[in-house]
Amino acid sequence: DKIQAAPNNTENSRSQKSDDMSRYGNRNENHRRLKLYPTEDFSNVLQIVKAIRKIAKLGQFKEVAQVDNEGKENKNVTKRQKYLVVVNPFSGKKTGNSVYDTVVSKMLRECGVEHDVVVTKYAGHASQLMRKVDEQDEEKDEENVMDIANYDAIIALGGDGILSELLQGLRTRDDYEATLQRIKFGIVGCGTCNGLAASLLHASKEKYDVLESTFLLCKGQSSKCDMATYQTMNKSYTGFLTLSWAMIANIDIDSECLRQLGALRNDVWGAWSIVKMKSYKAKLSFLPVDKNYVEGEFEYPDINDDVPSNWTTIEDDIILFWASQVTHSAYNVLQSPRSRLNDGVFRLWIIRKPCNRFEMAGMLIGMENGSHASYKKAEFYDCVAFRLDPISKGSYNDLDGEVVESGRIQAKVVPGAMNFFC
């Protein structure tokens, strides 16, 4: 019983490939379709599909120990992993629902990934979903709290803010660290900037698009990625992208009034910021990279204490400060070309006063392809921890696109803390 393939028309095949390319863009691997003659016996077809999935090393399957009637572990069995998809319908141009319906749900279904979906209804809903379920809590709302113990992966559809919400919610759990190590995370960019989605695709050598992001979910392979813990005088936060202060933070936050322009709002406000060319007095201290430090063996001070003597300190008038853990802060902004998802370091970029407007414009434009790094006024430092002490007022602490408590802020890298589809 051999499987017979229908005759292939080369011209039609090329036409179909051209049509697919125009719709989906240029992937590293081409989609291939095998058309079969009508048959009632699909057993051989299913065997081929199973073999292809095994060769492709799809990560949506996991080995689970089988327990017999006596409670003893027997041989391992292969089970499909289950995803929880969280959609923010309000992000960016409000395309979250349509992207899920037209791309994500179809691709997950076609590759055999079982998943549940929940659509957020209000600000902070995603964070609330991540709280730990208390079976003894009589007032628990099943629509607002998901038992994530039932899932192997959490997928966010929205901007970078929804993943930040999810992480802040997870931090309230007593099994926070264990949950981060067990669960895989993925994101399909449906927001305005989509820096994390762009960084994951860049690391995977994929084109930026919702199709490619969903492909990573279907492939199922994951990589360790760094996080960071941030501390201000009264609060603590979890970060995974960047912390900006001065010009970039002002552009990001003050341009909210132009949100209807999409990503163009940053260009408009960036031009206005170059005209104003504000600088702020600050003291920046950081611990430069060392092998032992990257492995986590270093002295990290309390927020109220002085920094250790082996930290480097800069006090000056600063026009731009940007600490990055990823390559992209937005799909069209390659602000940190040398950053890697799991290199264990912050890449600090600062611009000090004086800097003329022509140079500043060149650097902001150069962020599209990373050429800004070649400017002499662009200073870069690799470190594993830093503290920023603003002396002048008037700017924001902008963590992953969200304003956090102003004033002194310090951070340290948490290497390989999360698993991302990549």
Side-chain angles (χ1 to χ4, degrees), residues 351-369:
I351 299 176
R352 304 192 225 187
K353 186 181 180 181
C355 178
N356 65 57
R357 290 178 174 83
F358 179 78
E359 286 180 299
M360 180 59 70
M363 283 185 277
L364 293 188
I365 294 172
M367 286 193 295
E368 186 172 346
N369 57 19

Side-chain angles (χ1 to χ4, degrees), residues 380-393:
F380 290 92
Y381 303 94
D382 289 348
C383 66
V384 295
F386 70 86
R387 174 186 289 177
L388 178 67
D389 262 316
I391 299 174
S392 301
K393 296 182 179 180

Side-chain angles (χ1 to χ4, degrees), residues 218-371:
C218 295
K219 180 72 174 176
Q221 298 295 334
S222 63
S223 298
K224 292 286 186 181
C225 296
D226 299 335
M227 290 176 56
T229 58
Y230 289 82
Q231 186 179 5
T232 59
M233 298 303 294
N234 299 298
K235 296 182 179 181
S236 60
Y237 308 88
T238 297
F240 54 90
L241 286 177
T242 70
L243 174 78
S244 63
W245 180 77
M247 178 178 281
I248 296 300
N250 295 349
I251 292 172
D252 185 27
I253 304 304
D254 289 339
S255 67
E256 284 285 339
C257 61
L258 302 178
R259 176 170 285 273
Q260 68 274 15
L261 297 180
L264 181 61
R265 83 183 205 214
N266 295 322
D267 297 333
V268 174
W269 215 268
W272 176 238
S273 298
I274 292 173
V275 173
K276 294 192 296 182
M277 210 60 171
K278 284 187 175 181
S279 64
Y280 302 86
K281 191 80 171 179
K283 180 188 290 187
L284 171 65
S285 303
F286 58 90
L287 180 60
V289 170
D290 178 273
K291 180 181 179 181
N292 292 329
Y293 298 157
V294 173
E295 293 174 354
E297 301 174 1
F298 61 87
E299 181 183 357
Y300 187 64
D302 182 81
I303 189 71
N304 295 299
D305 296 338
D306 294 333
V307 297
S309 59
N310 60 338
W311 286 40
T312 300
T313 298
I314 297 171
E315 184 173 340
D316 213 333
D317 291 311
I318 294 177
I319 299 172
L320 179 152
F321 169 83
W322 212 346
S324 299
Q325 290 186 278
V326 294
T327 54
H328 291 70
S329 61
Y331 70 91
N332 58 348
V333 178
L334 179 61
Q335 88 285 348
S336 188
R338 286 181 51 194
S339 289
R340 299 294 179 265
L341 297 174
N342 58 348
D343 57 9
V345 303
F346 293 108
R347 182 119 168 111
L348 306 184
W349 174 25
I350 66 171
I351 299 176
R352 304 192 225 187
K353 186 181 180 181
C355 178
N356 65 57
R357 290 178 174 83
F358 179 78
E359 286 180 299
M360 180 59 70
M363 283 185 277
L364 293 188
I365 294 172
M367 286 193 295
E368 186 172 346
N369 57 19
S371 62

Side-chain angles (χ1 to χ4, degrees), residues 8-24 31-33:
N8 181 29
N9 185 304
T10 305
E11 183 176 348
N12 290 340
S13 177
R14 289 176 179 172
S15 176
Q16 177 67 42
K17 180 178 179 180
S18 176
D19 180 57
D20 287 346
M21 295 292 284
S22 65
R23 290 174 58 198
Y24 300 130
H31 296 278
R32 287 176 169 81
R33 179 180 298 170

Side-chain angles (χ1 to χ4, degrees), residues 108-148:
L108 291 181
R109 183 173 63 251
E110 288 174 0
C111 72
V113 174
E114 182 183 357
H115 71 281
D116 293 331
V117 61
V118 59
V119 179
T120 59
K121 299 178 181 178
Y122 48 85
H125 190 187
S127 180
Q128 190 173 12
L129 290 170
M130 296 297 102
R131 294 184 308 164
K132 193 168 185 179
V133 175
D134 185 356
E135 296 181 354
Q136 298 179 350
D137 186 358
E138 297 179 356
E139 298 181 358
K140 67 180 180 180
D141 184 352
E142 293 184 357
E143 290 186 1
N144 293 324
V145 180
M146 303 293 294
D147 188 358
I148 60 174

